[in-house]
Amino acid sequence: MVIPLSVILFKLVGCIVCAKFLTKGVQEITSIGNHHTTLSSTGKPWILLVYRVCMFLVTFAVQYIQLTYRSLRALRYFTVWNWIAIIIYFFLGSISSIQHQLMPAAGKEEKRHKTTTIVDRLLVSLFHAILPMTLFIDVVTWTILTPMLVNVPDPERALHWRTVMYSPISYMQHGGNAIIMFGEFLLNTIPNSNSWSHGVVALWSILFGIWSLIFFSFTGQAIYPFLDMSKKTGHPVWVAYLGLSLMGLGSSYLVQRIIRFKHQYLNRRISHKID
């Protein structure tokens, strides 16, 4: 299938915007302390460790069940991409937290003055990409995607999508994901990172966008109905891409403001305790 030129140009513009955000945000990601990925806002890092280990087991189990009892076709969807990213995040986070707990007291203090490792930067980048995209996925799923799928003219397909969307796995990946990531947000001390966050969100979206174009080119099918380039609608398909991109960046801006507010609150609380 032929991909419209407008969609290709839109993707190229997205790549340029993404590169600008990442270039501008390099200083943000390199200035993050080595301790930010393992300390907890509760003052007790072991609580963050337990949470991360538990969430890794839960998210891994959900993904295993989905791929075992449904099919590998689930891997085509952005929801599953983001869910797998959550699994990776909690796996790496668990390892970092375990290493921190096993470290002697002198080593923990020394860690505060070390530069971040590749794993630390990956953890921070994943956190800043996953958290806003989780919000984005849940909003789009329940306000746009689900109504489209369960109201298709074909009764059999409508029943199929009702079974899929209104199921425990779907509720976990389109609702439970937000609860899981919100818990991580409350417990960790990862600071806000404006440009870098917007850059990794854009990069994450672009990677899936490239995959969706490849999938469409070889199968002639759109992964999501609102991105179907084979059907004539009342608006150009790039308008749908633009709308989703703005929603994604809007989610990123909102999340960064919330993270900043949390750290301002924590800093005030610490100041009051010192006083």
Side-chain angles (χ1 to χ4, degrees):
M1 295 291 290
V2 177
I3 300 172
L5 179 61
S6 60
V7 174
I8 296 175
L9 292 175
F10 182 82
K11 291 296 181 183
L12 290 175
V13 172
C15 290
I16 295 172
V17 172
C18 174
K20 286 188 175 182
F21 273 131
L22 291 176
T23 302
K24 188 178 179 181
V26 167
Q27 187 175 357
E28 294 176 348
I29 190 67
T30 54
S31 64
I32 291 176
N34 189 264
H35 58 286
H36 281 129
T37 56
T38 52
L39 295 185
S40 173
S41 59
T42 64
K44 300 176 180 179
W46 67 265
I47 295 179
L48 181 61
L49 165 60
V50 172
Y51 184 81
R52 284 176 168 176
V53 172
C54 290
M55 291 305 101
F56 167 71
L57 295 175
V58 169
T59 53
F60 182 84
V62 169
Q63 192 58 69
Y64 176 80
I65 292 170
Q66 182 183 49
L67 296 180
T68 301
Y69 293 97
R70 292 193 176 167
S71 71
L72 294 177
R73 287 181 297 179
L75 293 173
R76 73 178 68 174
Y77 298 111
F78 187 58
T79 294
V80 179
W81 280 42
N82 207 64
W83 189 263
I84 292 175
I86 292 175
I87 296 173
I88 295 172
Y89 174 82
F90 281 113
F91 175 73
L92 294 177
S94 297
I95 292 176
S96 292
S97 292
I98 290 172
Q99 290 175 337
H100 177 79
Q101 286 297 113
L102 296 177
M103 194 179 296
K108 292 178 182 179
E109 183 60 32
E110 183 183 354
K111 185 180 179 182
R112 288 178 174 269
H113 307 288
K114 288 185 177 180
T115 56
T116 52
T117 64
I118 294 177
V119 174
D120 292 322
R121 294 176 187 178
L122 179 58
L123 267 176
V124 172
S125 299
L126 281 172
F127 177 74
H128 284 307
I130 294 169
L131 189 57
M133 284 294 96
T134 294
L135 176 63
F136 167 81
I137 286 171
D138 293 351
V139 171
V140 171
T141 296
W142 298 115
T143 62
I144 300 176
L145 181 60
T146 300
M148 293 180 71
L149 293 176
V150 301
N151 291 298
V152 293
D154 185 347
E156 290 187 6
R157 289 196 60 78
L159 178 61
H160 165 74
W161 284 117
R162 286 191 182 94
T163 303
V164 171
M165 300 309 296
Y166 302 132
S167 66
I169 295 293
S170 177
Y171 292 143
M172 279 297 296
Q173 294 184 333
H174 303 109
N177 56 349
I179 296 173
I180 289 169
M181 289 308 300
F182 185 67
E184 169 69 19
F185 155 74
L186 289 177
L187 292 174
N188 72 29
T189 59
I190 296 176
N192 64 296
S193 174
N194 293 320
S195 295
W196 186 259
S197 171
H198 306 330
V200 293
V201 165
L203 178 61
W204 191 220
S205 302
I206 288 170
L207 290 175
F208 182 78
I210 293 172
W211 155 244
S212 67
L213 294 181
I214 293 173
F215 184 85
F216 178 78
S217 297
F218 281 94
T219 66
Q221 299 176 346
I223 296 177
Y224 293 108
F226 46 76
L227 298 179
D228 194 344
M229 293 174 281
S230 64
K231 295 180 180 179
K232 290 186 178 181
T233 60
H235 56 76
V237 70
W238 65 266
V239 173
Y241 279 96
L242 176 61
L244 292 172
S245 299
L246 292 176
M247 287 180 67
L249 286 177
S251 298
S252 181
Y253 275 103
L254 175 61
V255 165
Q256 290 309 308
R257 296 301 176 272
I258 295 174
I259 294 175
R260 179 184 295 180
F261 175 80
K262 185 190 85 167
H263 281 274
Q264 289 174 344
Y265 168 76
L266 291 175
N267 290 335
R268 285 198 300 267
R269 191 177 69 177
I270 293 173
S271 299
H272 288 322
K273 286 184 177 181
I274 293 176
D275 295 339

